[in-house]
Amino acid sequence: RCDSAYLFQEGNTFRAYGHVLILSKGLRIVGDSLHYEGDLGTGRIFGKNVELRDTVQNYTLWSDILDYDTRANSVRFSTWGRMRSEKNEIESLCGEYLANQSLSILSGEVRFQGEELRSYSDTLEYNSNAGMLYLWGNIRMYRMEQVGLSNKGWYNLNSKESELRGNVAFRDKGEHFFANTLFIDGEKRTLEATG
């Protein structure tokens, strides 16, 4: 839906302007203008606040430009983006959301904010169904009174288990640990360091 549109039947493309609304496979995308390639099933939507809402996963994404693929049911952004679910919010410079897999892949100054966890990294992969975060590059993780630094790691939002790898520095209430690998069980409050 839109206020006005130009349809190019030869190339099976169209351009839409004003109050653009796209509904596709549980995704609702709103923006100011759109260029769509019908043969490829791809489009680019522009606006001051482009908003994608995944009504199945209860997930919302904001950016100023979104590239989307109706066949893969996915979107990408390359200038900035902010994603929010019921309990978590993620911001980054670049990213991709694969709705069918409930998977977000983000890079460039990634910030994750959850109920108990806050993290910063160069790259982050988030599977919302499994509640799993995978992080790479200049990782800083904060959970309650714990701080962890490393090169890569993962965090399970459901079990509160995590692992940090590569040049690990970790602080828990004044206790400091340095290791190659550190496994943390947040529920049992145990640590296992190696190297």
Side-chain angles (χ1 to χ4, degrees):
R1 297 178 189 164
C2 59
D3 292 342
S4 61
Y6 294 98
L7 174 63
F8 303 95
Q9 292 182 342
E10 241 179 63
N12 192 20
T13 65
F14 69 85
R15 293 183 182 175
Y17 302 95
H19 303 97
V20 176
L21 170 64
I22 303 163
L23 301 172
S24 174
K25 299 177 187 173
L27 299 183
R28 179 181 183 273
I29 308 173
V30 176
D32 297 331
S33 63
L34 161 73
H35 178 79
Y36 185 74
E37 300 280 341
D39 291 340
L40 300 174
T42 60
R44 176 173 276 185
I45 189 163
F46 305 85
K48 287 185 178 177
N49 275 313
V50 176
E51 180 182 279
L52 171 139
R53 186 165 299 212
D54 185 334
T55 57
V56 176
Q57 297 295 328
N58 196 18
Y59 209 63
T60 307
L61 164 63
W62 295 272
S63 186
D64 52 3
I65 300 173
L66 286 180
D67 292 314
Y68 70 96
D69 186 325
T70 57
R71 294 175 184 163
N73 208 24
S74 65
V75 295
R76 292 175 188 231
F77 58 89
S78 57
T79 54
W80 70 274
R82 183 166 40 106
M83 308 172 101
R84 184 182 297 154
S85 63
E86 289 179 23
K87 300 177 181 178
N88 307 309
E89 183 172 289
I90 311 170
E91 287 187 39
S92 70
L93 297 178
C94 304
E96 182 174 13
Y97 176 59
L98 307 164
N100 293 343
Q101 301 170 45
S102 301
L103 184 65
S104 303
I105 303 167
L106 306 146
S107 63
E109 300 177 21
V110 183
R111 180 188 68 84
F112 175 88
Q113 177 69 54
E115 286 183 309
E116 292 186 7
L117 178 75
R118 195 168 28 109
S119 74
Y120 302 89
S121 62
D122 294 335
T123 305
L124 179 141
E125 187 176 297
Y126 173 46
N127 184 314
S128 57
N129 281 347
M132 287 296 297
L133 291 173
Y134 299 93
L135 307 99
W136 295 270
N138 299 315
I139 297 169
R140 292 171 302 177
M141 293 174 70
Y142 304 89
R143 181 179 178 268
M144 301 164 84
E145 296 181 34
Q146 299 174 334
V147 178
L149 307 172
S150 71
N151 296 332
K152 62 181 178 178
W154 57 265
Y155 187 90
N156 186 317
L157 295 166
N158 299 322
S159 69
K160 312 296 188 237
E161 294 176 327
S162 60
E163 184 175 84
L164 300 173
R165 292 182 165 270
N167 298 318
V168 178
F170 185 79
R171 185 183 74 218
D172 183 12
K173 292 183 182 177
E175 297 289 330
H176 293 78
F177 302 88
F178 301 93
N180 290 331
T181 304
L182 182 67
F183 176 78
I184 306 150
D185 188 326
E187 292 291 323
K188 295 179 182 175
R189 307 268 310 148
T190 60
L191 305 174
E192 181 180 323
T194 57

